[in-house]
Amino acid sequence: MIREIVTYPTPPSVEYATDVRVFDEEIFSLIEDIKETIKANSLEALAAFQVGSYYNIVVVKKDDGSFLELINPRIISQSGKVTTIEKTAYFPELSAKVTRYEAIGLVYQDRDGAQHSLRADGDLSILLQRKIDYTFGSSFFNKLDKEEKKLFQKKLEYGSDIAISQSCPTVFKRDYIVKVINALLVVMAALLIGSLFTEKSTSGQLFNYQSYLFLASVGLNIIYIFYAQYEGKRFTSCTSCQIGNIIGTAAILLIKLSVVMLLSYFIM
């Protein structure tokens, strides 16, 4: 029977999986259900928790199509460290950068209760560690470092690996250019007001300063337009709204600069 796979945000049903003590038809039927669920969903492996069971069982699909049945698996040794990009059926469509042991040694039982040992490295080692996490009521989320965990929480919010890279942030680096231009506008306005209380010769000198500030501000406005377009290409999901925002911001800044400069020309 194909079973429904438990997915986030459904929490683990138990803190720790229960070891199998009685090897009977209930356990054998569960293992067969896990196999069918693996085949139906084109998966590499499943822990019993992932199909709603509290037993400590992991089933792995081998390259030849047969299955490795691990009852009561325990990791007894580990060596090396490796960082990989992992996916799991518990977090559909999402991936995370996880640091694991490069090689592990484990013990487990078969259907007859006989004890076996296994040494795994490479992809199999990573896969087994991920599935055994579930037997402790855990997932790879608990293995993430601080920064990766923050990133993955955003992925959970958007529900997609792609969404996190394409979603529009609330603050852009280009906003700092706008702040500099606005600061120059304030200085230009201050010079304009100051010219009302100075002699004509001094006003002429202030107008020269105004001209330099105006040219600098226009130059920054041009830089803003090009940099904003470059920055906007990184967030393709909101391209249309960004283009409108960029053009509108640049136009408003240019109008403000032109108004102050015209006033300065006639007054100074």
Side-chain angles (χ1 to χ4, degrees):
M1 179 179 71
I2 299 173
R3 297 202 182 191
E4 182 180 357
I5 297 176
V6 176
T7 58
Y8 177 86
T10 302
S13 56
V14 291
E15 187 174 357
Y16 299 104
T18 301
D19 278 348
V20 176
R21 299 301 183 192
V22 179
F23 297 78
D24 56 13
E25 285 302 320
E26 179 188 357
I27 298 301
F28 304 153
S29 178
L30 170 61
I31 292 174
E32 294 305 316
D33 287 351
I34 295 175
K35 290 180 180 179
E36 289 187 33
T37 306
I38 289 174
K39 289 188 288 187
N41 292 277
S42 302
L43 300 175
E44 295 178 298
L46 281 174
F49 155 73
Q50 294 182 274
V51 293
S53 171
Y54 52 79
Y55 283 117
N56 184 8
I57 298 174
V58 172
V59 178
V60 178
K61 186 177 182 181
K62 298 180 181 180
D63 293 337
D64 61 4
S66 62
F67 290 89
L68 175 63
E69 302 171 3
L70 305 169
I71 301 175
N72 302 331
R74 292 281 188 278
I75 294 176
I76 58 173
S77 66
Q78 57 272 322
S79 62
K81 287 291 183 70
V82 61
T83 299
T84 62
I85 303 298
E86 296 186 21
K87 290 187 176 183
T88 177
Y90 183 63
F91 298 111
E93 307 301 325
L94 303 183
S95 64
K97 187 185 297 183
V98 188
T99 300
R100 300 278 190 183
Y101 293 111
E102 190 171 6
I104 60 170
L106 56 84
V107 293
Y108 67 95
Q109 292 173 275
D110 61 21
R111 291 194 182 204
D112 298 321
Q115 197 80 17
H116 298 271
S117 63
L118 174 66
R119 181 73 178 175
D121 56 17
D123 293 339
L124 179 59
S125 171
I126 302 302
L127 179 62
L128 289 173
Q129 290 176 72
R130 184 163 66 250
K131 296 308 166 184
I132 291 175
D133 281 347
Y134 291 117
T135 69
F136 291 94
S138 182
S139 68
F140 67 37
F141 182 79
N142 301 98
K143 304 285 185 180
L144 306 181
D145 61 32
K146 185 177 180 181
E147 291 303 315
E148 187 66 19
K149 189 169 289 188
K150 286 182 180 178
L151 178 62
F152 193 74
Q153 286 173 331
K154 290 182 180 178
K155 291 181 180 181
L156 285 173
E157 180 182 349
Y158 291 106
S160 170
D161 274 351
I162 298 176
I164 188 64
S165 64
Q166 293 185 341
S167 58
C168 293
T170 56
V171 178
F172 293 91
K173 290 183 179 179
R174 62 178 180 251
D175 295 335
Y176 294 110
I177 300 176
V178 176
K179 289 181 180 180
V180 173
I181 296 175
N182 283 326
L184 293 177
L185 270 169
V186 171
V187 175
M188 290 175 66
L191 290 176
L192 175 59
I193 295 172
S195 69
L196 299 175
F197 306 97
T198 58
E199 296 179 355
K200 191 171 183 61
S201 58
T202 304
S203 295
Q205 190 174 10
L206 292 177
F207 181 75
N208 289 333
Y209 294 148
Q210 285 281 55
S211 298
Y212 294 138
L213 290 173
F214 175 76
L215 292 175
S217 298
V218 171
L220 284 173
N221 204 27
I222 294 173
I223 292 173
Y224 167 80
I225 293 173
F226 285 101
Y227 179 77
Q229 291 180 1
Y230 160 76
E231 191 176 38
K233 290 179 180 178
R234 296 167 53 195
F235 307 98
T236 56
S237 64
C238 55
T239 299
S240 58
C241 65
Q242 285 196 79
I243 292 176
N245 180 270
I246 293 167
I247 295 174
T249 300
I252 291 172
L253 289 172
L254 187 59
I255 291 172
K256 289 180 179 178
L257 288 167
S258 299
V259 169
V260 173
M261 196 61 192
L262 284 172
L263 290 174
S264 300
Y265 177 80
F266 289 110
I267 295 176
M268 290 183 175

